[in-house]
Amino acid sequence: MFIQTEATPNPATLKFIPGRTVLDTGTLEFTSREAAARSPLAERLFGVPGVTSVFYGSDFVTVTKDDSDWQHLKPAILGAIMEHYMSGAPLLADGSAGSDEAADEDGEFFNEADAETVEMIKDLIETRVRPAVANDGGDITFRGFKDGIVYLNMKGSCAGCPSSTATLQHGIQNLLRHFVPDVVEVRPI
């Protein structure tokens, strides 16, 4: 098994590509050892000292570290990913293929009168923003819209990334303002 690694714009995050499907649909993020208990792979990765977050995309695993050195962490992370896939264990302990999408949609907030605007915003995020962000090992999902402000949830390499403010302000905000005149600002939540 050959696992590729890619740098991300976030120096505390590396993207690991195992050459097979990781998650069938959506994304999943684990930001604590307790949350990782539902995934054997995430549990193994949190067993590596220095790992602070694990994120699953369709064909990649993004791992975020504390101030530890990648030179020491990377071999242990590669080993944990390889062990998981060689063991044949499921990605999630309950055998489901669940993602965070249902939970993301449950927490959405917007005025019903803005439903048409929100649909346009969501479509732009889905078709233009998420594919680009996935290339960098992260994900951005819609959380809400109120008073012209779009609220987005940043996951994986996007969470805590030094360039995330620029991505939000210059990239996503400009895109949304261009296509949806009601958008005034974009903020992380």
Side-chain angles (χ1 to χ4, degrees), residues 29-74:
E29 183 174 44
F30 303 94
T31 55
S32 69
R33 185 179 292 273
E34 294 73 33
R38 63 184 277 226
S39 170
L41 174 56
E43 269 191 310
R44 283 181 201 251
L45 291 169
F46 270 98
V48 175
V51 170
T52 60
S53 176
V54 175
F55 177 81
Y56 299 152
S58 61
D59 63 349
F60 64 88
V61 176
T62 301
V63 177
T64 304
K65 67 173 184 73
D66 57 16
D67 57 2
S68 302
D69 191 345
W70 278 121
Q71 186 176 345
H72 295 53
L73 288 175
K74 193 172 163 183

Side-chain angles (χ1 to χ4, degrees), residues 99-108 143:
S99 70
D100 289 337
E101 287 187 12
D104 284 347
E105 288 179 12
D106 284 347
E108 287 181 2
R143 301 305 294 140

